[in-house]
C-alpha cells in the first residue's frame, strides 16, 4: 500500500512540473509575441490609412460613376440646346461688334490706299511703288447663316478677326510708305500680323478633351457633331462652349486695341433664367432651404453696362464712406430670409454662398470674357479650364490678409459651399490674376424694396434676378459701401450672382448686405 501511494505521488509531482513548464513557456511566448504600445499605434494607423484609402477609392469610384452617368438621347439633346442658348446669343452679338469694327477698318484702309495710289513718285522710284493690289485683295468675312451653330458663329468671328488684322496691317504699311517715301509693296510684305489669333474650333475641342479622342455622330445636335451621351460629355461640352465665348472676348479686346479705343459702356443682354435648385441651409445664419443640387439656366448676359468707375486697369478711387462701418459690423446679422413682420429691421449680411474659381484672367478686367456660371448654374458641373499652379486655400475671412495652406491647382473647378463667419466672403482658393463666381438665393415673403450695399476687392460685377446692378472696374481696397442702391426684390426666392476679379496676388473678397429702404 505504501509503495503504491509513493508511486502515485511521484507521478503527480512530475505532471505538475510539466504543466507548470508548459504554462511558463506559453506565457513567455505570449509576452514575446505581444506587440509593444508603439507597434499597436503603428498597426492602428496603418489600419486607419487602409480604411481611408478604401473609402477614398469608393468615393472616387462613385464620383466617376456619377460623372459617366448615361443620358437618354432626347434629354441629352435638350440639355445641349439649353447650354447653347446664351452662348449663341453672346457670339451673335460679338459678330455684330466684329462687323462694325471690320467696316470701320475697311474705310480706313480704303482711304489710306487711295492716298498711296495718288502719290506722285519721285524719279527713279520702282514702277510698282504705289501698287496696292495685294492689300485690296484681302478676303472679306461673310455673314453667318440663319440659325447658325456655335461652331459656325465661331468660324465667322475668326474670319472677321483675320480680315481686321490684315486691314490694319495695310493701314500701317500705307502710313509708313507715305511718311517715309517707301515702296508700299515692300513695306506691306515686310510687316507681319501678330500671332494672337483665335484658335480654330477643332483646336478648342482638342484643348477641352486634352488631346483625347472625342467621338462624333451625324445625329448629334452639338457643334462639330460631338457625341453627348453622359454627364461627363455634357460637362466637357459646356467647358468647350465656355472656351469659345472666352476666346471671342479675348479677340474683341485685342481688336479694340487696334483702334486705340477704350471699351465704352452700352446695354446689357439677358439675365438670369429659372433654375430648379436653391442653395442649402448652410447651418446657423443660413436660413435657406433646398438641397443645393439643382441646375439653373441663364444666369448672366452679354454686352456692356454703364460703369461709374474708371477704365480698365486703373485704380478705382473710393468715393467716401456712406455707412458707419463699425456700427454696421457690430449690429448686422447673417440671414437669407426676410419677413416684413420680423422684429429686427437692421442690416442683414449674406454669408452663405456657392463659389467656384479661379479662372485665369491674365491680369485683364474684361467682363466680355464670359465664364460658364454666366451661361448656366449647374452645381454638379465639373470644369477643366481653371487656373493651373498654386494658390492659398483660405481658412479665415480677413479682408486684409490671406490666411491658409498652399494648394496645387490642376485646372479642375467645382462649386463649393462656403459660409463665412463674418460679412466678408473669400473665395475657396485665392490666387492672382483670377476670376471667381458666387451664387446664392434670398427669400422674401412679399415683394420688397431693399437697400443693397456691395463691396468687392478688387473689381466685380453683380446680377440680381438677371439684372446687372453693378460693375466695379479697377483695383480697389475693400469697403462695405462701395455701392449702395435700392432694389425691388420679388416675392419668393431671388437669385444673386457675383463675379469677383482679383487683379493682384493679395487678398480677395466681397460683401453683400441688405436693409429695408426707409420710407
Amino acid at each position: 500500500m505504501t509503495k503504491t501511494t509513493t508511486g502515485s505521488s511521484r507521478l503527480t509531482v512530475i505532471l505538475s512540473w510539466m504543466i507548470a513548464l508548459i504554462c511558463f513557456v506559453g506565457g513567455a511566448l505570449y509576452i514575446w509575441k505581444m506587440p509593444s504600445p508603439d507597434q499597436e499605434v503603428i498597426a492602428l494607423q496603418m489600419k486607419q490609412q487602409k480604411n481611408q484609402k478604401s473609402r477614398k477609392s469608393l468615393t472616387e469610384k462613385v464620383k466617376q460613376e456619377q460623372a459617366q452617368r448615361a443620358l437618354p438621347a432626347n434629354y441629352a439633346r435638350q440639355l445641349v440646346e439649353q447650354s447653347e442658348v446664351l452662348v449663341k446669343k453672346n457670339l451673335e452679338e460679338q459678330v455684330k461688334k466684329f462687323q462694325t469694327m471690320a467696316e470701320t477698318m475697311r474705310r480706313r484702309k480704303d482711304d489710306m490706299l487711295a492716298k498711296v495710289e495718288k502719290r506722285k513718285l519721285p524719279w527713279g522710284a520702282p514702277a510698282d511703288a504705289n501698287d496696292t493690289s495685294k492689300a485690296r485683295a484681302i478676303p472679306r468675312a461673310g455673314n453667318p447663316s440663319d440659325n447658325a451653330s456655335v461652331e459656325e458663329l465661331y468660324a465667322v468671328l475668326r474670319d472677321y478677326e483675320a480680315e481686321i488684322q490684315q486691314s490694319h496691317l495695310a493701314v500701317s504699311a500705307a502710313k509708313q510708305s507715305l511718311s517715309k517715301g517707301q515702296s508700299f509693296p515692300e513695306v506691306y510684305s515686310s510687316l507681319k500680323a501678330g500671332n494672337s489669333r483665335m484658335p480654330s474650333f477643332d483646336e478648342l475641342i482638342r484643348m477641352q478633351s486634352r488631346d483625347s479622342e472625342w467621338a462624333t455622330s451625324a445625329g448629334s445636335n452639338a457643334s462639330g457633331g460631338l457625341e453627348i451621351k453622359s454627364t461627363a460629355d455634357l460637362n466637357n461640352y459646356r467647358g468647350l462652349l465656355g472656351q469659345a465665348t472666352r476666346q471671342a472676348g479675348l479677340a474683341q479686346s485685342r481688336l479694340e486695341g487696334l483702334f486705340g479705343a477704350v471699351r465704352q459702356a452700352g446695354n446689357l443682354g439677358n439675365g438670369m433664367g429659372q433654375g430648379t435648385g436653391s442653395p442649402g441651409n448652410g447651418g446657423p445664419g443660413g436660413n435657406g432651404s433646398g438641397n443645393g443640387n439643382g441646375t439653373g439656366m441663364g444666369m448672366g448676359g452679354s454686352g456692356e453696362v454703364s460703369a461709374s468707375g474708371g477704365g480698365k486697369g486703373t485704380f478705382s478711387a473710393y468715393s467716401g464712406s456712406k455707412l458707419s462701418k463699425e456700427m454696421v459690423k457690430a449690429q448686422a446679422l447673417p440671414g437669407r430670409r426676410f419677413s416684413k413682420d420680423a422684429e429686427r429691421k437692421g442690416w442683414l449680411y449674406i454669408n452663405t454662398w456657392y463659389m467656384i474659381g479661379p479662372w485665369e484672367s491674365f491680369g485683364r478686367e474684361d467682363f466680355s470674357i464670359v465664364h460658364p456660371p454666366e451661361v448656366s448654374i449647374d452645381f454638379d458641373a465639373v470644369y477643366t479650364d481653371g487656373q493651373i499652379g498654386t494658390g492659398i486655400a483660405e481658412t479665415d475671412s480677413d479682408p486684409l490678409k490671406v490666411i491658409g495652406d498652399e494648394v496645387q491647382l490642376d485646372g479642375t473647378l467645382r462649386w463649393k459651399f462656403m459660409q463665412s463667419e463674418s460679412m466678408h466672403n473669400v473665395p475657396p482658393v485665392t490666387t492672382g490674376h483670377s476670376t471667381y463666381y458666387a451664387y446664392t438665393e434670398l427669400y422674401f415673403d412679399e415683394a420688397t424694396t431693399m437697400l443693397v450695399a456691395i463691396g468687392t476687392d478688387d473689381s466685380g460685377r453683380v446680377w440680381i434676378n438677371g439684372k446687372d446692378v453693378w460693375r466695379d472696374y479697377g483695383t480697389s481696397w475693400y469697403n462695405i459701401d462701395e455701392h449702395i442702391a435700392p432694389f425691388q426684390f420679388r416675392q419668393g426666392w431671388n437669385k444673386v450672382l457675383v463675379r469677383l476679379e482679383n487683379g493682384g496676388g493679395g487678398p480677395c473678397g466681397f460683401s453683400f448686405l441688405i436693409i429695408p429702404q426707409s420710407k
Side-chain angles (χ1 to χ4, degrees), residues 443-461:
Y443 184 85
F444 295 84
D445 61 1
E446 66 177 31
T448 309
T449 298
M450 306 284 284
L451 283 178
V452 178
I454 304 169
T456 60
D457 177 10
D458 292 312
S459 57
R461 181 178 180 181

Side-chain angles (χ1 to χ4, degrees), residues 391-396 402-407 416 427-430:
I392 301 297
E394 292 207 52
T395 57
D396 193 286
V402 180
I403 302 172
D405 298 326
E406 185 175 283
V407 294
K416 181 179 180 182
V429 178
T430 299

Side-chain angles (χ1 to χ4, degrees), residues 121-129 181 183 186:
L121 295 175
W123 181 87
D128 64 346
S183 167
E186 291 181 3

Side-chain angles (χ1 to χ4, degrees), residues 85-94 97 245 252 267-273 297-305 366-377 437 461-469 471 497 499:
V85 169
L86 287 182
V87 175
K88 283 184 177 180
K89 182 171 183 180
N90 177 273
L91 295 181
E92 287 168 354
E93 292 178 350
Q94 295 283 66
K97 294 175 183 178
T245 55
Q252 180 182 339
N267 296 321
L268 181 75
N270 286 348
M272 295 185 197
M297 294 302 303
M299 284 304 307
S302 56
E304 298 299 316
V305 71
D366 192 346
F367 294 138
S368 68
I369 301 175
V370 178
H371 297 281
E374 293 183 42
V375 179
S376 67
I377 296 296
Y437 290 88
R461 181 178 180 181
V462 179
W463 296 268
I464 304 178
N465 291 335
K467 185 175 182 181
D468 197 355
V469 298
R471 287 193 189 187
L497 179 67
R499 174 171 175 161

Side-chain angles (χ1 to χ4, degrees), residues 428-503:
V429 178
T430 299
T431 67
H433 296 167
S434 49
T435 300
Y436 306 88
Y437 290 88
Y439 173 81
T440 195
E441 295 181 4
L442 310 180
Y443 184 85
F444 295 84
D445 61 1
E446 66 177 31
T448 309
T449 298
M450 306 284 284
L451 283 178
V452 178
I454 304 169
T456 60
D457 177 10
D458 292 312
S459 57
R461 181 178 180 181
V462 179
W463 296 268
I464 304 178
N465 291 335
K467 185 175 182 181
D468 197 355
V469 298
W470 186 58
R471 287 193 189 187
D472 176 32
Y473 287 95
T475 303
S476 64
W477 295 106
Y478 164 72
N479 290 282
I480 63 173
D481 53 358
E482 292 177 45
H483 170 80
I484 297 181
F487 187 86
Q488 177 71 30
F489 289 91
R490 62 194 180 200
Q491 189 276 331
W493 289 103
N494 293 256
K495 304 174 187 296
V496 181
L497 179 67
V498 177
R499 174 171 175 161
L500 186 64
E501 303 282 336
N502 191 17

Side-chain angles (χ1 to χ4, degrees), residues 113 203 214 260 263 306 347 350 390 403 429-430 432 435 463 483:
L113 294 183
E203 290 174 313
W214 193 334
R263 183 188 305 280
S306 176
W347 283 97
I350 315 305
T390 60
I403 302 172
V429 178
T430 299
T435 300
W463 296 268
H483 170 80

